[in-house]
């Protein structure tokens, strides 16, 4: 029989709608000759439901599809939803999905799944821990200060160390949700308050001046080979927008992409090498999108890793692979085959 693939989408995080959007694209592109798809939705309240077609969803926040306010869903327990499934594609972004939690559930159930395991997922989701691990590997992650659950604000020494402007971020979030760029210390505490609405742990980073934003897609193949795609660059259109916020990502057209990025060959080579190093530094498996800042001096700063990046055909991860020679359908098949080859258990 065909391989039964559960595509789990939606979820409890602030990126619920982004996940529904990803699922909308992934489902119809899975190879129907080989895979039988079982769509599994998770509502924003955390209710699992079978038989939800992401293509039939209504628009919610940012005009993106949502499972919010749906009364027609058939609720199921997770174990029931995943019964008789061969492999799981946890197409969830953010907390309770991209952070090791569902990966833990799948490990307990002995089910293979697409993407990194429990530790790598949790480490990449937490910007503070990710930076510590990347630093230990000798990678440049830029200047930052971690505000733990108890620290109210930055000390004067920390302000001096970072300088202005700074980016204030929830340690564990995504899609730029909860992030503020602060150019005046008088606005710092409001920005910390905003970040803490999403996570009690906050990271404050020095803004990289005149930054170029470069993203690479890292993929593990079924034979264990790990490769980085060609780099993609995100640019504000006409230099208008200041940074790549939620609206720029999903709502307006203030950013455009160069895929591949226009870079000297030696910079491209360094990016591809460093992306794989960062992937390994966090013990990733399957896939990750590695986001870089390229400085005016062509220095590479690793901003972050996303272990389940956006997955529409126009999202950066699939686009970068397309430009490197792997089309969307083949990419999805590769991800699932790698998950099956890895199997379940400690490995
Ligand atoms: P994603 O959707 O990629 O998961 P995220 O919510 O994890 O995003 P970041 O990628 O850390 O957030 O930051 C979002 C954006 O904010 C960056 O793409 C960039 O435009 C801007 N930014 C963040 N940190 C810095 C920095 N230190 N210097 C300059 N720009 C920054
Ligand atoms: Mg991120
Ligand atoms: Mg993300
Ligand atoms: Mg990012």
């Amino acid at each position: 029989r065909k391989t039964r693939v559960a595509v789990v989408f939606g979820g409890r995080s602030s990126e619920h709608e982004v996940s529904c959007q990803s699922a909308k694209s992934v489902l119809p592109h899975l190879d129907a000759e080989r895979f039988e798809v079982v769509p599994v939705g998770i509502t924003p309240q955390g209710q699992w439901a079978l038989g939800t077609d992401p293509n039939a969803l209504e628009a919610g926040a940012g005009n993106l599809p949502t499972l919010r306010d749906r009364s027609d869903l058939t609720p199921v327990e997770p174990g029931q939803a995943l019964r008789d499934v061969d492999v799981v594609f946890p197409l969830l972004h953010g907390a309770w999905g991209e952070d090791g939690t569902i990966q833990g559930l799948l490990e307990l159930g002995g089910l293979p799944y697409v993407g990194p395991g429990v530790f790598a997922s949790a480490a990449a989701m937490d910007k503070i821990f990710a930076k510590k691990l990347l630093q230990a590997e000798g990678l440049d992650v830029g200047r930052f200060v971690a505000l733990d659950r108890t620290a109210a604000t930055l000390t004067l020494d920390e302000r001096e160390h970072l300088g202005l402007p700074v980016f204030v971020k929830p340690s564990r979030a995504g899609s730029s949700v909860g992030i503020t760029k602060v150019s005046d210390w008088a606005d710092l505490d409001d920005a910390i308050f905003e970040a803490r609405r999403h996570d009690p742990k906050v990271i404050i980073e020095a803004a990289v001046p005149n930054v170029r934003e470069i993203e690479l897609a890292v993929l593990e193949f079924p034979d264990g080979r790990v490769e980085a795609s060609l780099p993609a660059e995100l640019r504000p259109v006409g230099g208008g927008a200041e940074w790549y916020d939620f609206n720029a990502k999903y709502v307006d057209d203030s950013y455009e992409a160069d895929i591949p990025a226009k870079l000297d060959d030696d910079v491209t080579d360094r990016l591809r090498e460093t992306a794989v190093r960062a992937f390994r530094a966090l013990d990733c498996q399957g896939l990750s999108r590695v986001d870089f800042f390229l400085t005016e001096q062509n220095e590479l700063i690793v901003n972050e890793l996303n272990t389940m990046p956006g997955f529409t055909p126009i999202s950066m991860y699939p686009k970068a692979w397309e430009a490197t020679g792997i089309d969307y359908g083949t990419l999805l098949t590769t991800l699932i085959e790698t998950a099956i080859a890895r199997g379940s258990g400690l490995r």
Side-chain angles (χ1 to χ4, degrees):
R1 72 173 171 75
K2 292 183 190 177
T3 301
R4 299 195 73 187
V5 184
V7 177
V8 185
F9 66 95
R12 289 163 63 193
S13 81
S14 54
E15 293 178 277
H16 174 92
E17 289 83 2
V18 178
S19 167
C20 292
Q21 179 86 338
S22 292
K24 220 173 134 161
S25 314
V26 166
L27 257 61
H29 283 93
L30 286 169
D31 183 354
E33 306 265 286
R34 318 171 56 162
F35 303 124
E36 183 189 333
V37 184
V38 181
V40 179
I42 303 178
T43 69
Q45 291 72 37
Q47 177 63 60
W48 290 48
L50 269 179
T52 39
D53 176 2
N55 284 291
L57 298 182
E58 282 168 36
N63 217 24
L64 297 170
T66 180
L67 285 163
R68 200 176 295 277
D69 302 326
R70 285 281 300 262
S71 51
D72 57 324
L73 302 176
T74 313
V76 285
E77 293 304 317
Q80 195 186 335
L82 302 177
R83 180 170 303 157
D84 300 327
V85 154
D86 298 306
V87 57
V88 178
F89 199 142
L91 197 56
L92 298 159
H93 310 305
W96 306 290
E98 197 178 351
D99 62 349
T101 51
I102 191 173
Q103 289 76 11
L105 178 78
L106 299 173
E107 293 287 349
L108 282 170
L111 275 172
Y113 53 91
V114 171
V118 173
F119 176 79
S121 300
M125 187 82 260
D126 189 321
K127 293 184 196 296
I128 295 170
F129 276 108
K131 284 192 194 285
K132 288 179 180 174
L133 290 168
L134 293 166
Q135 261 178 341
E137 199 58 38
L139 298 170
D140 187 355
V141 296
R143 293 200 306 289
F144 71 96
V145 172
L147 282 190
D148 65 16
R149 291 177 176 82
T150 59
T153 189
L154 291 176
T155 65
L156 287 177
D157 280 353
E158 288 168 336
R159 291 176 200 217
E160 206 160 291
H161 167 66
L162 293 174
L164 282 168
V166 289
F167 278 86
V168 180
K169 311 177 178 179
S171 192
R172 297 164 296 181
S175 290
S176 298
V177 172
I179 300 181
T180 311
K181 182 178 182 180
V182 169
S183 303
D184 183 335
W185 292 125
D187 300 326
L188 177 67
D189 289 355
D190 282 349
I192 294 171
F193 183 84
E194 169 61 20
R196 283 216 161 109
R197 289 179 47 218
H198 302 276
D199 189 345
K201 302 193 329 172
V202 172
I203 181 166
I204 305 180
E205 302 175 11
V208 179
N210 302 318
V211 68
R212 287 178 75 180
E213 294 204 51
I214 313 283
E215 301 186 346
L216 281 84
V218 178
L219 174 64
E220 181 190 359
F221 292 86
D223 65 2
R225 227 171 355 115
V226 172
E227 282 181 24
S229 70
L230 289 168
E233 176 164 14
L234 288 148
R235 265 185 307 101
V237 178
E242 228 186 308
W243 62 284
Y244 195 33
D245 64 5
F246 184 90
N247 282 329
K249 283 175 185 176
Y250 307 109
V251 184
D252 59 31
D253 297 318
S254 55
Y255 267 70
E256 56 192 18
D258 286 333
I259 312 171
K262 298 181 181 77
L263 296 166
D264 291 343
D265 287 348
D266 69 302
V267 179
T268 294
D269 291 347
R270 271 199 292 139
L271 281 162
R272 294 181 90 172
E273 223 169 274
T274 311
V276 173
R277 270 181 72 196
F279 183 92
R280 295 198 194 284
L282 297 193
D283 197 23
C284 288
Q285 292 170 297
L287 82 156
S288 264
R289 197 190 72 217
V290 186
D291 296 356
F292 287 92
F293 296 141
L294 185 65
T295 71
E296 282 178 303
Q297 291 78 36
N298 278 344
E299 294 154 339
L300 309 187
I301 294 175
V302 182
N303 173 32
E304 61 150 358
L305 279 79
N306 291 281
T307 54
M308 192 50 73
F311 241 98
T312 72
I314 60 157
S315 295
M316 226 26 71
Y317 188 94
K319 275 284 193 191
W321 273 116
E322 192 183 78
T324 314
I326 300 181
D327 67 58
Y328 192 65
T330 308
L331 176 62
L332 296 175
T333 299
T334 305
L335 288 165
I336 294 166
E337 284 182 340
T338 299
I340 292 169
R342 190 163 97 222
S344 63
L346 264 192
R347 66 270 156 182

